[in-house]
Amino acid sequence: MDADAGAPATVRLAFAPEARLLGTIRLVVGVVARKAGMGEEGIEDLKVAVSETCAVAVGDLNRAGLPDQIEVDLVEGADRFAIEVRDRAPAASAGPEGADGGEVDDRELGLALVGALVDDLKTSTLEGGGNRTSFWLRRGPQELGPIPGADLPSPLT
């Protein structure tokens, strides 16, 4: 996490494009989001969204035969938790195995799922080739901090 007061806290991960590492990425996202004060439902949505985004990148890099690492930034903001995933996979090419002929490709399908789970989803191309996918999830009022007296016993018991 960044130490600068007032600046968003960021955790940066980089991993090889191997499907077996996706469980570890989900675990790290869960721990960091929990420490950031996200509620359980938000944590689960973030874990699925990151896992799906990274799975798309793993597939794209493997199909291209590239060993380039996938980078993930987890950013804790004042009222939201943001994630950015970067990979160096080339743009999908049209062809017998591409998204030609009206079929939905893995990237489109995966990102459609992510878009249904998060508050905002943006994709862009990296300079020099590759993909940037960023999204965030707002923390609800109950996730922004403890409620004073919430841990006190009920006066009715």
Side-chain angles (χ1 to χ4, degrees), residues 11-125:
V11 173
R12 179 163 288 159
L13 309 168
F15 67 100
E18 298 176 24
R20 67 184 179 87
L21 298 174
L22 294 175
T24 303
I25 298 302
R26 286 175 59 95
L27 179 66
V28 172
V29 168
V31 168
V32 173
R34 190 167 285 111
K35 284 188 168 280
M38 292 294 296
E40 287 304 314
E41 185 175 336
I43 290 169
E44 289 305 314
D45 287 349
L46 284 170
K47 286 168 50 177
V48 171
V50 171
S51 182
E52 188 61 35
T53 304
C54 289
V56 167
V58 166
D60 288 350
L61 286 165
N62 286 333
R63 278 188 292 283
L66 297 174
D68 299 19
Q69 291 194 330
I70 298 164
E71 298 175 335
V72 181
D73 287 349
L74 311 173
V75 183
E76 177 188 354
D79 66 344
R80 63 185 176 176
F81 194 86
I83 296 181
E84 182 174 285
V85 178
R86 294 175 303 281
D87 66 74
R88 290 293 178 178
S93 58
E97 297 179 23
D100 212 23
E103 292 183 30
V104 177
D105 70 7
D106 290 342
R107 179 168 288 276
E108 289 177 14
L109 185 60
L111 294 179
L113 171 62
V114 172
L117 294 171
V118 300
D119 290 322
D120 192 22
L121 172 66
K122 293 181 180 165
T123 60
S124 61
T125 304

